[in-house]
Amino acid sequence: MRINPISYNTYTQQQPKAAQPQASFTGGASIDLAATVKSLDRLLEKTPTIYPPQIREWAKLILEEGNKANDTLVNIHKKFYGSLKECFSPEEVKAKFPEFNDILSDSEVSFKPGTFFEKVKKGELEHFDKDEDLSIQLLKLYWGEGFSLNDLKNYSDGTDIYYTMKKLQIPLVDKTYGHMLKFSDPEYNERIVREMAEKRLANLDKKAFLESGEPVYIPRGPLSKEHKNHISEGLHKFYEENPERLYAMSERQKKFYEENPERAEIFRKVLIRTWKFNDMQNVKAELSRFMKKNRIKDFNTRVLEEDPLKLRLSKQQSDMLQKFWADNPWAKKTFSRIMKLSWKMVKEEQEAGYELIIAPNGFIKEMKEWAAKKNIDTSNLKFTTTIYPERPELNEKVDISRLSRAFADEMEPITHVSMRTANTYFFALIEMVREFNKMDMSRLNSDTAQFVGPLKNKIKEVLYINPNAPYKKRQIRKLEVNDVQMAYYNCLLACMNNHKPRILDLFNRKLNSAYEYVSANWKPGKPLHINPTVFDR
């Protein structure tokens, strides 16, 4: 059984019996997992909480499957708590580990002068990061790595960390379990020296990095998804408050985005959306006047709506842009507020799912009634699906094609359902053009306005052979059911990919009302009358 995809070391080396640590509560301890579990189980009745949550269950599962990897207790413990490494706040820890729900952030606790906490926050201890929440650092070392408080004392300037742990409400492992955890790791001493040395070097690298003027520390080497997200959020927050630095990125930041194109795309979306907000139009107008006043004639504010990671400003433009932010604090405040909002919206879009109706509600109702008469059970069928534009792996797969095809084949000669459906999608697209024509583009944000215009023209190209001709000379295309359905759903996909839920909802409502209209007015051999002037604007 594969417990966790995280890779881990296995230890097959057996310690000489003379060197094995002895413990009076068991008569002896072993790195062997079966012997360790047996020893701890003897104490379960007296100490029910001797194991941390789920550790015993994991150990039992591995033993039942033969423990082919020769796992020890420390292997299991580290795999279970290994994801603590990817947590950067108490909230993230609590979401993954309910047993830590009571921990406090170091910002919620006050410590006396001269304590271990104060030394960390002053940057006096090289093995601890003064900027990272101390609760998170201790959780990673104590629970994530399984290092004892006594051994961590060697890296805390000789200070006992127990008092700090209690103040931060970090739970302690059972004393017996802690001993057994250490006994099960034949490389414990080498591991703690290596891990703490790496931590010290990372802290020194971070210190030098930040002292060079960098806003967020970007470690060297491969990074986890969570760590990339942490860096990305840190950069966004910095640029919210420091727009003057936006177009003067360091090479290390550029490299981070080059190596992580998905993060670069999110950053690009946030900035482009920020500049397109209606509230930013006054900022852009003032910036344009400022540039002209200072004789920067070749500057156009539209370039700020392009890909910020590819934009290259001249030194003169860059210097004057920084001066603009310094001279206009109101503009900087507006930018900060809008970028914060844009970042929130983009983050929500990364998780957003949009409901898509497979067919008009009227069509589905008729099909269900037909199926009931045929004794076909449709109770387990879904007639809507959810699409996640940014996370396609979550997309639901819904297929009712066999049922709908059988229904249409049988009922077409009677109710002309296929012809009605084709006209429904056609009419729904016409209705959407009407709705777009009613919209006051000046009241829409520029992003939505720039989306609606091209989409309306695309629909006209689908419906007309010559969409740009005077309306009296336009010729309506003859479309098959599949063609007009495909055109309609391409419009829906455009709405989802551009995160326009209101327009998507409008499409869905127009499809349902179009089916009702077509069904009520349909007469075989008599086409529905459509007023072509809806395409005039």
Side-chain angles (χ1 to χ4, degrees), residues 319-424:
D319 290 346
M320 201 54 64
L321 187 57
Q322 290 191 39
K323 188 175 188 306
F324 168 78
W325 294 118
D327 292 352
N328 295 274
W330 66 270
K332 187 173 179 178
K333 186 177 180 180
T334 300
F335 181 91
S336 178
R337 176 173 59 83
I338 298 300
M339 187 173 175
K340 193 173 294 183
L341 177 60
S342 297
W343 175 224
K344 180 177 180 291
M345 293 171 68
V346 170
K347 281 202 292 187
E348 289 172 351
E349 289 171 357
Q350 295 304 302
E351 304 297 325
Y354 302 105
E355 187 176 74
L356 181 68
I357 60 174
I358 302 300
N361 290 341
F363 177 91
I364 292 171
K365 182 175 180 289
E366 290 178 30
M367 185 169 62
K368 283 184 174 181
E369 291 172 350
W370 168 83
K373 292 177 182 178
K374 297 285 184 181
N375 293 320
I376 299 173
D377 183 16
T378 60
S379 60
N380 293 323
L381 291 179
K382 289 193 66 177
F383 298 96
T384 62
T385 184
T386 303
I387 302 296
Y388 296 85
E390 310 299 337
R391 302 183 66 189
E393 69 277 5
L394 298 180
N395 289 350
E396 298 176 331
K397 294 182 180 179
V398 176
D399 187 2
I400 60 168
S401 58
R402 290 179 64 184
L403 181 66
S404 61
R405 193 177 300 116
F407 165 64
D409 288 346
E410 182 173 322
M411 298 304 292
E412 180 62 22
I414 304 169
T415 65
H416 307 94
V417 64
S418 293
M419 288 296 293
R420 283 190 291 121
T421 302
N423 278 272
T424 291

Side-chain angles (χ1 to χ4, degrees), residues 142-153:
Y142 181 74
W143 280 95
E145 294 294 341
F147 296 147
S148 73
L149 294 185
N150 190 53
D151 292 319
L152 288 175
K153 189 176 180 181

